[in-house]
Amino acid sequence: MAGHVNSLHDQVAQQLRDQIFAGELSPGAFVDETRLCEQLAISRTPLREALKVLAAEGLIRHEPRRGSFVNEVTEQDLDEIFPVIALLEGRCAFEAALQATDADIAALEGLHQQLEGSAAQGRIPDYYAANYAIHEAIIAMAGNKWLAQVISDLRKILKLARLQQLNAPGRLAQSLAEHMAIFAALKARDAEGADAAMRTHLTRQREALRQLARQSKSRIAAVSTEHDKSGVPT
């Protein structure tokens, strides 16, 4: 019976994760337990167990007497997370360079060809997909389950922020160049070079996101100024 309850609350946690990442439960949204119980045809117990799991992952926060809310990722959160994930993924690249077989490198080469093709044609969704597959392949090549687990946890928080760093001007070409540098180091079995190239890649992602945030603030300020001048929304 315990196994059934466990598997049920794991399933519920995954359904809620999917809703959060799809934007159906948006950042800051109140988690309506009654509605979710009806929607998922479950009792309160597995739902509350699932919410505890998501709270431990940082996707949900519980406020006494108010209930549960979807977490919001702030610029400060991103400033704190990116240096950590850069170190962790850099270490993965280091270990991957030492562990990689010729077959691993050949598979990675195919993924980089997909990445190049997507960049050349400006297919950003395909680029994101190939980019994700490359990061996952490097983590798998490293073969360190502890690194993989911590990176996975941090990635969930970053996914919550719905980041679109490739929308920053020039970022697509820059990102591709960074990936090719990481791949060249892995192919040469240069562990320290792979580590440094991966850390540079993640650090520049954060810089691109800062650039987008500044542009967004400038646009909002311009609209606000225009509104003040005209007295009507623009």
Side-chain angles (χ1 to χ4, degrees):
M1 184 68 191
H4 172 71
V5 172
N6 285 346
S7 64
L8 181 58
H9 88 245
D10 287 339
Q11 287 170 24
V12 173
Q14 188 55 53
Q15 286 175 294
L16 293 178
R17 262 188 226 105
D18 291 343
Q19 289 188 21
I20 289 168
F21 294 148
E24 292 163 24
L25 283 170
S26 56
F30 172 66
V31 178
D32 186 334
E33 293 187 21
T34 305
R35 186 185 65 78
L36 282 171
C37 284
E38 289 172 4
Q39 181 190 336
L40 302 174
I42 54 170
S43 68
R44 282 287 169 101
T45 302
L47 177 62
R48 289 191 167 159
E49 289 302 311
L51 290 174
K52 283 180 191 172
V53 171
L54 297 185
E57 291 175 1
L59 298 179
I60 294 281
R61 70 177 186 278
H62 184 75
E63 296 184 10
R65 295 182 299 281
R66 290 194 67 210
S68 296
F69 296 83
V70 179
N71 250 337
E72 295 164 281
V73 180
T74 65
E75 287 293 310
Q76 183 179 342
D77 290 329
L78 296 179
D79 283 341
E80 292 171 358
I81 290 169
F82 265 91
V84 177
I85 205 163
L87 284 171
L88 294 169
E89 289 214 41
R91 181 65 196 180
C92 261
F94 182 98
E95 294 189 14
L98 299 178
Q99 305 287 346
T101 64
D102 290 345
D104 288 333
I105 296 297
L108 211 50
E109 185 143 26
L111 289 172
H112 280 82
Q113 286 167 358
Q114 289 176 32
L115 197 73
E116 282 186 293
S118 300
Q121 294 176 27
R123 297 195 316 267
I124 287 188
D126 292 343
Y127 186 95
Y128 274 121
N131 173 72
Y132 178 78
I134 286 167
H135 281 269
E136 286 294 296
I138 292 170
I139 291 165
M141 282 161 59
N144 184 324
K145 67 180 180 181
W146 304 109
L147 266 177
Q149 183 178 320
V150 181
I151 290 168
S152 174
D153 289 345
L154 286 175
R155 282 247 191 104
K156 284 177 188 148
I157 303 298
L158 293 179
K159 197 171 178 183
L160 181 63
R162 301 175 72 77
L163 306 174
Q164 298 291 320
Q165 46 101 12
L166 291 179
N167 291 333
R171 178 61 193 149
L172 186 60
Q174 186 188 54
S175 172
L176 179 62
E178 291 157 17
H179 264 292
M180 299 317 284
I182 296 165
F183 181 53
L186 290 169
K187 202 170 179 178
R189 309 302 201 272
D190 174 5
E192 289 185 7
D195 181 357
M198 182 64 85
R199 281 187 282 117
T200 296
H201 176 54
L202 272 298
T203 302
R204 286 186 180 159
Q205 274 188 29
R206 179 66 191 116
E207 288 167 6
L209 289 166
R210 270 199 209 95
Q211 185 183 351
L212 283 174
R214 282 195 299 269
Q215 288 172 350
S216 178
K217 277 182 188 168
S218 298
R219 280 196 298 271
I220 291 166
V223 168
S224 177
T225 303
E226 200 60 40
H227 174 78
D228 290 344
K229 282 179 187 170
S230 64
V232 293
T234 55

